[in-house]
Amino acid sequence: MSSQPPNHARVAPVIPLRPQEPAAEPREPLWRDLVGDVLRRERLDQERTLKDVADAARISLPYLSEIERGRKEASSEVLAAAAHALGLDLGGLLSLVQSEFTRKAAVGRPVPGPYNGLCLVA
């Protein structure tokens, strides 16, 4: 006989499952994320570089990059300068951001039908 102990199966302890938490409500998009998304989309649609737009707006390239990534809250003056560099006015930029907000806020939420679930008959 061998001097080695017999092979024993190793048993792993069973960890009880935690009850599933209810799904969190989808959060509304942040303003800075929406502004950044719109600025980036407009810049890319025009096939322009960050450097080109930053130079035209007289904004530092790293700062414009942070705005586009939603890392910084830009002042109205900076937003206006970035918008003008892209051929928009501040109102046009804000209008595009509002449309983006409406689109993203509606994702995952039921869209009411023409009767909003209520129909009255006489």
Side-chain angles (χ1 to χ4, degrees):
M1 285 217 150
S2 146
S3 61
Q4 294 181 340
N7 277 341
H8 290 290
R10 292 177 33 201
V11 177
V14 175
I15 301 171
L17 295 175
R18 283 186 258 153
Q20 283 190 343
E21 297 176 16
E25 287 285 321
R27 67 176 181 90
E28 289 185 334
L30 296 176
W31 173 257
R32 67 177 184 251
D33 291 332
L34 296 169
V35 169
D37 290 346
V38 168
L39 287 173
R40 176 169 282 160
R41 185 177 63 236
E42 289 298 312
R43 178 177 62 78
L44 293 176
D45 285 350
Q46 296 177 19
E47 297 180 354
R48 294 175 67 188
T49 64
L50 263 173
K51 181 174 179 6
D52 177 41
V53 175
D55 289 347
R58 299 181 53 106
I59 303 170
S60 77
L61 188 145
Y63 189 60
L64 181 57
S65 174
E66 288 183 321
I67 293 169
E68 281 192 358
R69 290 181 289 131
R71 306 280 180 172
K72 295 287 184 186
E73 295 267 1
S75 68
S76 58
E77 291 85 0
V78 170
L79 290 179
H84 287 275
L86 292 167
L88 301 167
D89 60 4
L90 186 57
L93 174 65
L94 297 179
S95 178
L96 291 171
V97 172
Q98 188 271 335
S99 297
E100 186 75 3
F101 173 78
T102 302
R103 187 183 66 78
K104 285 189 175 183
V107 172
R109 294 187 183 160
V111 177
Y115 301 108
N116 197 17
L118 179 65
C119 183
L120 301 175
V121 243

